[in-house]
Amino acid sequence: PTYNNDAKVAANPIVTCAKLIYYVIFAFLYGLVGSLANLVMVNSSWTKNHIQYLWKLSGKVHVVFPPVDTKSLKVLPLADRENMILSIGQFRPEKDHTLQLLSFAKLMENEEIKKSDVKLVLIGSCRGEDDRQLVDQLQKRARELNIQDNVEFVLNQPYPVLKDYLGRASIGLHTMWNEHFGIGVVEMMAAGLVTIAHESGGPESDIIQSPWNERTLDYSNCTGCLASSAEQYAALMRRIIKDGSSSDLAMKIRENGRKHAEQFSDEVFMNAFKGALLSSSLLK
């Protein structure tokens, strides 16, 4: 999926062709300039693969994961969570909140789910009028799917409000395709949510490396879940809710996810950043 092409551009083959030519030239110049770098730091192994391909670098690209405040989140309780599904992130088209609504609607169609007990909360910031219009469209979509009574939008709230939701929710939802890293995914894992992230980009390559699904027999090392379609998201959510927020499965994923999130702490970032600098020729 792509969110960068205006509808008028996509409908005009001549303009589309011109834009593709522009991207080819830009990629060539981008790679040429990048290949001159003495030291390159990227935020995930997924990004590293792209940079190495475009910049033709070998041995000069270091993965330095962004710092995440896991320390304040790991004190939140793991057990007795509400049947709340939480999504955190800015309201931008590429975050694909629509997929979250479609997934939740499919979940609510399941007769095993007591609809009055389940809620989807989308919490995030709006940068301007375009984002506000997107929220209006999402609210309209929720009404069309007849899930508006179970969906809550929380906009532009301070961090303590987000932390309160992170301490109550049972499931974390992430649906952005090919996100380079995914700080929100790490925050949800550190907070103890059973996190279901999109099966692509940084979340797949670095964050949820031991995913659980219904075919997994041994979940002792699972740190979260991966999905790419509304059906997959709904099936994973249904199982976690059906078993209960404090089931053996849920608790094991919560514990493992929180432990794995420590790999992205502030301390790990500082050590990796210093290590990359010291290994380069910049300080020699």
Side-chain angles (χ1 to χ4, degrees):
T2 179
Y3 303 95
N4 297 319
N5 281 327
D6 184 272
K8 294 179 180 178
V9 174
N12 189 319
I14 297 176
V15 177
T16 299
C17 183
K19 190 171 184 179
L20 287 173
I21 294 172
Y22 162 78
Y23 277 138
V24 170
I25 296 173
F26 178 83
F28 172 77
L29 295 175
Y30 181 62
L32 181 64
V33 173
S35 65
L36 303 175
N38 295 105
L39 171 66
V40 177
M41 287 184 259
V42 295
N43 61 359
S44 70
S45 59
W46 184 83
T47 307
K48 178 181 179 180
N49 292 334
H50 279 268
I51 291 298
Q52 285 183 322
Y53 173 77
L54 288 172
W55 292 5
K56 311 302 179 186
L57 296 170
S58 59
K60 292 193 287 186
V61 182
H62 299 262
V63 176
V64 179
F65 297 122
V68 182
D69 180 18
T70 58
K71 188 175 182 180
S72 68
L73 295 174
K74 67 181 183 181
V75 300
L76 297 173
L78 292 178
D80 301 320
R81 296 293 185 110
E82 300 175 22
N83 279 336
M84 180 193 299
I85 301 158
L86 184 66
S87 163
I88 60 176
Q90 287 184 336
F91 286 98
R92 307 199 312 260
E94 62 267 27
K95 294 294 185 180
D96 203 358
H97 290 92
T98 299
L99 178 55
Q100 297 177 9
L101 296 179
L102 293 171
S103 303
F104 186 69
K106 285 198 171 293
L107 171 69
M108 298 295 278
E109 292 172 359
N110 195 295
E111 296 180 355
E112 297 177 312
I113 300 300
K114 188 176 180 181
K115 296 174 178 54
S116 59
D117 289 345
V118 184
K119 177 187 285 188
L120 170 64
V121 177
L122 296 88
I123 183 167
S125 61
C126 289
R127 299 165 298 175
E129 184 58 30
D130 288 346
D131 291 353
R132 181 65 247 190
Q133 290 179 5
L134 174 61
V135 173
D136 291 341
Q137 294 169 8
L138 292 170
Q139 291 173 328
K140 179 182 177 182
R141 189 69 174 122
R143 291 191 294 270
E144 293 171 349
L145 294 168
N146 197 30
I147 55 174
Q148 69 276 9
D149 293 338
N150 298 81
V151 177
E152 179 181 357
F153 290 83
V154 181
L155 310 179
N156 300 323
Q157 293 299 307
Y159 183 72
V161 174
L162 168 61
K163 190 173 179 181
D164 175 66
Y165 277 100
L166 285 168
R168 293 159 48 204
S170 178
I171 298 173
L173 210 56
H174 165 274
T175 49
M176 182 174 174
W177 174 71
N178 274 350
E179 183 160 18
H180 286 265
F181 181 65
I183 290 177
V185 176
V186 177
E187 288 178 327
M188 291 188 289
M189 291 169 64
L193 281 71
V194 176
T195 304
I196 309 173
H198 197 281
E199 193 173 12
S200 65
E204 180 185 23
S205 66
D206 296 303
I207 303 176
I208 303 181
Q209 295 178 319
S210 300
W212 175 85
N213 59 54
E214 293 194 283
R215 298 186 301 276
T216 306
L217 299 178
D218 180 10
Y219 52 78
S220 59
N221 295 313
C222 293
T223 55
C225 307
L226 295 172
S228 58
S229 68
E231 291 77 12
Q232 291 173 340
Y233 279 102
L236 291 166
M237 290 188 290
R238 180 200 63 79
R239 174 65 186 274
I240 298 301
I241 293 172
K242 179 185 174 184
D243 286 4
S245 65
S246 297
S247 66
D248 290 342
L249 171 63
M251 291 303 292
K252 180 55 68 174
I253 295 177
R254 297 186 201 285
E255 292 167 2
N256 292 341
R258 174 171 285 178
K259 183 178 179 180
H260 186 66
E262 286 299 309
Q263 297 185 28
F264 313 105
S265 66
D266 293 334
E267 293 78 10
V268 172
F269 165 77
M270 288 188 289
N271 290 332
F273 185 85
K274 288 189 292 185
L277 280 177
L278 292 173
S279 68
S280 73
S281 61
L282 294 178
L283 302 180
K284 297 177 182 179

